[in-house]
Amino acid sequence: MQITLSPVRREGRPTFERLGDALVIDGETFDFSGVPEGAQLPAEAVASDWLAGPVTRIAGELHLALALSHGANAPHETLFPDPVQVASDGAVPLPPYDATAPEEASA
């Protein structure tokens, strides 16, 4: 599963988890196994505010975009994230929500 992250200033962040051809967002499962090769499922067809673009299947792999919420002090890696390749089931690795304050980092 190839995931493009689209940063957006927004309070809170859900958990994202891959489960085969499904994506679990905060415990709600969105099954994309029915998306055939070369097809595109528009984001509007999925009842989630976290999907930021269409879901497509290219060479057997799902490609999708997720909104990446971040805090007011988000680090560069969060504001300009690299795409995420999720090869197996489990949590989708995400960059930090916010930068750690200097006093917290030295404690």
Side-chain angles (χ1 to χ4, degrees), residues 72-88:
N73 299 309
H76 184 271
E77 65 189 290
T78 302
L79 297 175
F80 303 96
D82 290 329
V84 178
Q85 179 71 36
V86 185
S88 59

Side-chain angles (χ1 to χ4, degrees), residues 2-90:
Q2 179 75 30
I3 301 174
T4 301
L5 300 170
S6 180
V8 59
R9 175 70 179 98
R10 189 169 169 182
E11 291 301 317
R13 180 184 282 178
T15 58
F16 299 112
E17 182 181 352
R18 177 187 174 176
L19 189 59
D21 277 350
L23 186 67
V24 181
I25 303 174
D26 270 349
E28 185 175 359
T29 302
F30 298 92
D31 185 1
F32 301 118
S33 61
V35 177
E37 181 67 32
Q40 189 173 82
L41 177 67
E44 298 79 27
V46 181
S48 175
D49 292 338
W50 295 103
L51 202 61
V55 178
T56 59
R57 188 178 301 273
I58 303 168
E61 181 178 48
L62 287 170
H63 291 249
L64 55 95
L66 295 174
L68 176 68
S69 58
H70 63 79
N73 299 309
H76 184 271
E77 65 189 290
T78 302
L79 297 175
F80 303 96
D82 290 329
V84 178
Q85 179 71 36
V86 185
S88 59
D89 290 353

